[in-house]
Every structure is written in C-alpha cells, then in structure tokens.
Amino acid sequence: MAKAALQAKVNALTDLSMIECIDRCKATLEYANPPEPLWNKDLKGHTQKVYDVSFSSDCTHVATAGQEGLVFVTNVYTGLKTAKPCKASFVMACALNSNAKLVATGGMENTITMTSIATPLEPTTKKQMTGHEGYISKLAFVDDGQLLSTSGDGLAILWDVQTGQQKSVFSGHFGDCNALALAADKPGIFATGSADRTARVWDVRTGKCTRTFEASDEVNAVALFPNGEGLATGNDNGQTHFFCVKSNALVGTGKPKNLKIRCMSIAIGRSGRYTYAGMTTGQMLVADTFAPGGRSASSMYISSHMLRQKSSLS
C-alpha cells in the first residue's frame, strides 16, 4: 500500500512520461544533420607533414609535430607561437601539459624527451626517458605529474614526469600500438588502438585492461567519450566504429562511400554529440553520434558535410 501511494506521488509530480520525453527530444534535435563546418584559422610554420597535434587541457594552446623535426606551440586564439620551436629528430608524437610550459616528444628514436619552454626563447631539455623497444606513436599527459606513451612494441607505459621512471606497463596488444586517448572527465581511464585490429580500454589505477573491442581492420586512431563510457575507433579500411564501454558491445559503424580511403584520426566533441574523422583524402567527416539507428541512440552516421583541406596544406 505504501509503495502504491509513493508511486502515485511520483506520477503526480511527473509532467512527462519517458516515451513523451524521448519524442520531444527527437523533435527538437536535428539528428544526423551536423552544422556546416567553418574554417577558423590557419596555424602556419611547418614546411612538411604534420604528424601529431596535442592541445593543453584548457584548449588554449596546441603543440604540433612536423616531419621536418620541429615542434611548435601556438596560442589557439591569437595564432601566435608562444615559444621558440623545439627540435625533435624523427618526431612522430607530442604532448603538452596543462599550462603549456612542458612539451613531451617522441618518435623513431624510441625515446621520450621532456622539453621545458618556461623560458620561451630557450627551450631546455629536462629529461629523456627510455624503455620502449619500438617507435613512440602517441603521447598524452594524464596530469602534470604523469605521462602515457604508446609504441610500436605494442606497449603503453605510464611515466612519472618528475623522476622519468616507469610507473606501470600495459601489455596485451599483439601488434604496433598506434593510438591513445584519455577520457576528459575520467583521467584514470584511457584507450589504445593497435594494428592487431583491437582497441582496449585500461584503468591507470589497476594497470588492467577492462575492455577489448574487435575492429574491422587495423586501428589507426581512438577517441573516448568525456565520461569514458563510449569509444570510437578510426580504422585502416576507412570505417569508424562506436563501442559502448558499459555494455561491452559494438553500437554502430560508419562506412564512407569511397572504399579506398583510410581513417587516420578521430576525435569526439566535448559534449559527445559529434565525432570527427580525418581521412587520407584530406577530408574531415562529421558523424552525428546520436542519429537514430536501431534501439540505441548512439549509432554512427557519416554525414554529407565534409571539411576539405585547403590545397596549400594538402
């Protein structure tokens, strides 16, 4: 009787049923129709290919690593360089700490170099960290005291920035570990992608793999939802997958019309609404994460909106 009375009070306070709420949301949101991308700014300086891009945690600065062996740190709003370029031979990966004063770089030399740009005109090498037996593919700061790296040796390693020592080694991939992503709101969770056609989700605190997802081809890029409950992969066959981490399942797949292109990078917006995939054609495909598809609201839908690179940057 008490339960029935409580339910009656809940019903009296509820102005919409769950079904009605969903229907109103569907009517309000323009599913599968992302806004037209707008070209904002050119960040110039590199003379050859840009291999990696890394934002500071507040997104005010960005580090870019070029094939010519230089790493630039740029203020996103002004477009101005904030320090003299850091020299990094055979660089493939870079990462920027929260205040944009420390840059981590790595590449074909299998070594991670920590460079201070606290004095902008005098970049200073603070530390070099060795431990990987393959090229350094990706780098990311967990926080200002910890750095994650992935490598062609198939491993991910957590480093102590202050001492330069390894804190944890994450093993499990059977091929080159090409991709790395952190969950913005849960820095203790990160994901990796590999040439072994899998993406894995890891817990920094335990050092354990919590999820393993199988992709349709080699995984070139991964991105996590801010809350760590969704994972997107960019694959070598051009497809993008979206996995639900909680249910340990594939939710949807995006398939471009051009079957000869490859997906080399992927990112999820801060809200999780849109996913962006960089292709070898010089295009960025925009995916509406919440486009209807089956009973899940998170199926991937590759929209017709494409952001073409300018010919001067291709």
Side-chain angles (χ1 to χ4, degrees):
M1 193 68 178
K3 186 176 180 180
L6 181 60
Q7 186 60 51
K9 288 185 178 181
V10 170
N11 293 338
L13 295 172
T14 303
D15 58 347
L16 289 175
S17 69
M18 183 65 73
I19 299 300
E20 290 172 329
C21 182
I22 292 173
D23 288 340
R24 288 199 182 185
C25 287
K26 285 182 178 180
T28 302
L29 296 174
E30 294 185 22
Y31 283 107
N33 187 28
E36 193 73 46
L38 299 176
W39 195 275
N40 192 336
K41 193 182 272 91
D42 286 343
L43 302 182
K44 299 181 179 179
H46 291 290
T47 58
Q48 298 185 44
K49 292 180 181 178
V50 175
Y51 280 143
D52 199 16
V53 174
S54 175
F55 285 87
S56 59
S57 58
D58 60 3
C59 294
T60 59
H61 294 77
V62 62
T64 55
Q67 189 180 28
E68 73 281 336
L70 296 177
V71 176
F72 292 102
V73 178
T74 307
N75 184 300
V76 173
Y77 298 105
T78 65
L80 300 176
K81 304 293 183 288
T82 59
K84 186 177 178 180
C86 303
K87 295 182 179 180
S89 301
F90 308 106
V91 66
M92 295 178 66
C94 63
L96 196 59
N97 76 337
S98 64
N99 64 3
K101 299 298 183 183
L102 187 66
V103 182
T105 57
M108 295 301 294
E109 294 183 336
N110 305 358
T111 300
I112 300 168
T113 301
M114 308 297 294
T115 303
S116 171
I117 54 172
T119 305
L121 296 179
E122 298 180 3
T124 305
T125 299
K126 290 295 185 181
K127 204 172 268 73
Q128 289 191 318
M129 302 181 294
T130 58
H132 282 295
E133 296 181 358
Y135 61 88
I136 309 301
S137 57
K138 289 292 180 182
L139 295 166
F141 280 94
V142 178
D143 51 46
D144 285 346
Q146 299 180 102
L147 177 76
L148 275 167
S149 63
T150 55
S151 169
D153 60 13
L155 300 176
I157 296 179
L158 180 67
W159 304 84
D160 186 305
V161 173
Q162 188 67 31
T163 65
Q165 299 299 309
Q166 297 180 17
K167 297 184 68 175
S168 301
V169 177
F170 305 86
S171 61
H173 284 298
F174 299 101
D176 293 14
C177 194
N178 302 317
L180 172 65
L182 295 172
D185 296 334
K186 289 187 177 180
I189 304 296
F190 73 96
T192 56
S194 171
D196 64 9
R197 299 190 174 200
T198 68
R200 293 173 180 260
V201 179
W202 309 81
D203 191 322
V204 170
R205 298 159 296 182
T206 64
K208 302 295 184 180
C209 175
T210 59
R211 291 286 189 271
T212 300
F213 299 106
E214 294 186 3
S216 58
D217 207 335
E218 295 182 10
V219 179
N220 294 327
V222 294
L224 277 169
F225 257 40
N227 62 7
E229 295 179 3
L231 170 67
T233 67
N235 307 329
D236 211 52
N237 58 3
Q239 294 184 5
T240 55
H241 292 323
F242 179 72
F243 299 94
C244 176
V245 175
K246 271 196 167 183
S247 63
N248 197 26
L250 174 65
V251 175
T253 298
K255 298 179 181 180
K257 293 181 180 179
N258 185 347
L259 301 180
K260 296 182 179 180
I261 65 176
R262 302 157 63 204
C263 182
M264 301 304 295
S265 61
I266 198 162
I268 295 175
R270 191 65 178 85
S271 68
R273 176 68 193 276
Y274 298 119
T275 301
Y276 306 87
M279 317 303 286
T280 50
T281 52
Q283 298 168 323
M284 183 177 70
L285 305 184
V286 184
D288 189 336
T289 315
F290 303 116
R295 59 193 183 88
S296 172
S298 297
S299 58
M300 297 289 279
Y301 177 89
I302 298 298
S303 78
S304 60
H305 296 305
M306 298 179 182
L307 184 63
R308 296 182 179 273
Q309 290 184 340
K310 294 182 178 180
S311 58
S312 62
L313 298 179
S314 60

